[in-house]
Each structure stands twice: as C-alpha cells, then as structure tokens.
Amino acid sequence: MLSNTRIVIVSILLTVAAVVSYCCVGNIVDVPIKKSLSTFPTQIGAWKWVDRTHMSDEVRKMLGVDDYIQYDYVSADGIPVNLYVSYFSYVGSRKGYHSPKNCMPGGGWNIIHSEPFKLTVSRSGPVAVEINKMVTQKGAEKEVVFYWYQCRGRIIHSEYMGKIYLVLDSMFKRRSDGAFIRIIAPVQDGQETKAVEYLQDFTRQVIPVLEEYLPGA
C-alpha cells in the first residue's frame, strides 16, 4: 500500500502529467506501427496458433485502438495461452490503455493477487524486465495473467511510471505511441505454478517478436 507521502507525490506527478499532456497534445506526432499485427506469426517457438477473437467495430472505436490481435496459442503438450496486443499511434484524452485491474473485475473476474514480476528476456542480449502478474478467478475458473505496457522502447509495468514517461516523451520526443500486451493462461488442476511457468516461456519468446512490430525508442 502507498504511504501518504508517496500518494501526494504521485498525485502531483499525475496532475503535472495531465497539464503537460494537454499543452503538448497539438505537437504530438502519430507514429504508425512498424508492421501490421495481421502478419503476426502463427507459431512462436513451439507454441502454435489455434484461434483468434475479433473486436467489434464499436468496441475498437471506443478504445481508439489503431491495430490489435487477440490470438490463442497452444504449447506442444496442449497448454493454451491467450495473447492480446493493442497498439496506439498516440495516447491521449480520447484513446489509450485500459488497465486489467479495472477491466477484468468489470467482466466478472475477481483479482486474487497482483504483483510486479521479473524475468529475463532477449533484447539484443539478456535483459531483466519487470511486468505485472495477476491471479484472477470467476466461479470455478482461475487464470494467471501477465501484462505490461511497451512504449517507445520501454517495457513498463507501472501505470504511474507509464504516465510520467508519457509526459517526458510528449515534451522531448513529441511521441505518445505505445502498446498494451496481456497474456493469459488457465490454471488447470490447481497447478498455478505450472501456469506461471508456461506464461514465462511464452513471454520470453514473444517479446523479441513484438519488437519487430512495435516502434522503438
């Protein structure tokens, strides 16, 4: 839980972020995605594509998404994961990310646990990154969720830091483009640790692929 001092500091930073974003909005440049997500690979390592989910035009317009995919993959031994990637050429008052901490409860999923999660991925060499891990439940169904924001060359887990970087990049780079990535695996037979292991494997393999599509720094 945030201390009172940290709450005040975060509130001030978010207020500054809102003011600067408003002042800079006319100077922000739309940054197109490097490659359309429609060409995203149907095989990621040993993971094979099995299905996709289409977003309605109404929902896509509401979110302001410029490009997206929602693909189901399955491992060689039959474990499924769902990958959702949404890209925004700019993030502003009319378009931007929706945190799973808000969206998933709205869909009936209770958040049992949420914490930052560290893992090592290949980004021109091994690099430690921090993403978010959530455990959610709806009735008898239980899932493990990994998610993060991939913005202008950074992998960010914190919504607060994401807003700070958004302000700085709006001011100094005239950019606010970014992507939201979410990966879900079901907990089968109560094996939560196993679901996390499969998510780690898929995440380590998908991040280098994502960087072929998402604009860098």
Side-chain angles (χ1 to χ4, degrees), residues 6-21:
R6 290 182 65 191
I7 289 173
V8 171
I9 292 172
V10 168
S11 297
I12 292 172
L13 290 174
L14 292 179
T15 300
V16 171
V19 172
V20 175
S21 295

Side-chain angles (χ1 to χ4, degrees), residues 197-210:
E197 290 172 354
Y198 278 93
L199 279 176
Q200 287 185 80
D201 177 69
F202 185 82
T203 301
R204 287 193 179 103
Q205 296 189 64
V206 83
I207 283 178
V209 179
L210 286 167

Side-chain angles (χ1 to χ4, degrees), residues 62 67 74 94 99 197:
M62 178 190 71
D67 201 353
V74 66
R94 293 179 306 229
S99 171
E197 290 172 354

Side-chain angles (χ1 to χ4, degrees), residues 25-42:
V25 69
N27 296 318
I28 300 301
V29 176
D30 269 19
V31 179
I33 198 165
K34 287 162 68 175
K35 294 195 294 185
S36 171
L37 289 172
S38 64
T39 66
F40 205 76
T42 55

Side-chain angles (χ1 to χ4, degrees), residues 35-116:
K35 294 195 294 185
S36 171
L37 289 172
S38 64
T39 66
F40 205 76
T42 55
Q43 180 144 356
I44 307 291
W47 296 82
K48 293 184 178 180
W49 175 90
V50 291
D51 201 3
R52 74 184 69 196
T53 300
H54 292 285
M55 189 185 296
S56 70
D57 291 339
E58 183 179 41
V59 171
R60 182 169 180 170
K61 184 177 180 180
M62 178 190 71
L63 296 175
V65 175
D66 293 296
D67 201 353
Y68 82 98
I69 53 169
Q70 188 166 355
Y71 282 0
D72 291 322
Y73 291 86
V74 66
S75 67
D77 54 351
I79 301 299
V81 299
N82 177 266
L83 169 68
Y84 172 68
V85 182
S86 57
Y87 179 74
F88 302 82
S89 61
Y90 79 91
V91 173
S93 59
R94 293 179 306 229
K95 56 193 293 185
Y97 321 116
H98 288 244
S99 171
K101 291 180 180 179
N102 300 322
C103 294
M104 297 200 78
W109 289 91
N110 295 315
I111 298 174
I112 299 172
H113 184 66
S114 178
E115 65 179 354

